[in-house]
Amino acid sequence: HLLRLGVQPDQRVALCVERSVEMVVGLLAVLKAGGAYVPLDPAYPPERLAFMLNDCAPDIILTHAGAHTALQRTLPGLHNSPTVVDLLDDAASWAEQPDTDLPPAALGLTSRHLAYVIYTSGSTGTPKGVMIEHAQVDRLFTATGAEFDFTAHDVWCLFHSFSFDFSVWELWGALRHG
């Protein structure tokens, strides 16, 4: 579905959802389509959400009913008009799509393409988008693999907001190690 909407390598797709299974599904969908996810915590003030959306200028925003209120306050002030996809209500749009993965090479995707953009608080108080490539996420775990010796038997906690950089360790560590 995201490919049909035009997602391609390095294209930013905003994800404004509450902590849920749909959050993980949305992150994986963006990456499997070749895009880069931009996590937006719906608990953030509307002004911060609007700033981040205007700054990253996504063509698509993935959301669900629990986060709609936060988005509805920010969408009227955006410079562009992104397509909004509800991960629950719009599921029928992709229900008939194949459930097999396309090889990354078929999408033109390499480890040097963006995986995500996370906004920091910024030293000036203005959020700054930090662009992270797939290779950098992989390096995070390969560089610490011998030290921690993670296995599928480990338990991971997603304690932080997925809009905070430490969530990468928590979320992708669990997915990477089973």
Side-chain angles (χ1 to χ4, degrees):
H1 184 69
L2 292 177
L3 290 170
R4 282 196 336 241
L5 292 175
V7 173
Q8 53 191 309
D10 292 334
Q11 183 176 359
R12 291 164 308 281
V13 177
L15 189 66
C16 187
V17 295
E18 294 171 341
R19 188 181 307 251
S20 62
V21 170
E22 290 76 28
M23 176 191 81
V24 177
V25 169
L27 294 172
L28 290 169
V30 171
L31 292 174
K32 287 177 180 237
Y37 70 90
V38 182
L40 304 173
D41 190 329
Y44 283 171
E47 299 80 22
R48 183 176 174 93
L49 291 172
F51 175 87
M52 293 187 303
L53 285 167
N54 277 320
D55 187 62
C56 75
D59 292 321
I60 301 168
I61 301 173
L62 303 180
T63 190
H64 62 60
H68 273 260
T69 304
L71 276 178
Q72 287 170 342
R73 287 180 267 178
T74 61
L75 290 175
L78 295 184
H79 301 315
N80 66 335
S81 299
T83 299
V84 177
V85 177
D86 188 301
L87 291 169
L88 297 173
D89 292 345
D90 296 337
S93 300
W94 56 82
E96 300 301 319
Q97 295 298 310
D99 60 2
T100 54
D101 291 334
L102 287 175
L107 300 171
L109 190 63
T110 71
S111 63
R112 303 305 301 170
H113 284 102
L114 288 179
Y116 63 89
V117 177
I118 282 190
Y119 280 79
T120 67
S121 58
S123 57
T124 64
T126 302
K128 293 180 181 148
V130 178
M131 299 183 289
I132 305 297
E133 299 170 344
H134 291 270
Q136 294 163 323
V137 177
D138 184 58
R139 185 182 179 286
L140 173 67
F141 293 101
T142 56
T144 57
E147 190 174 337
F148 292 104
D149 193 31
F150 293 121
T151 71
H153 300 289
D154 290 312
V155 175
W156 292 75
C157 177
L158 181 57
F159 179 76
H160 295 89
S161 165
F162 83 125
S163 294
F164 183 61
D165 64 347
F166 197 78
S167 70
V168 173
W169 176 265
E170 297 168 332
L171 181 65
W172 297 111
L175 292 172
R176 181 180 174 121
H177 297 288

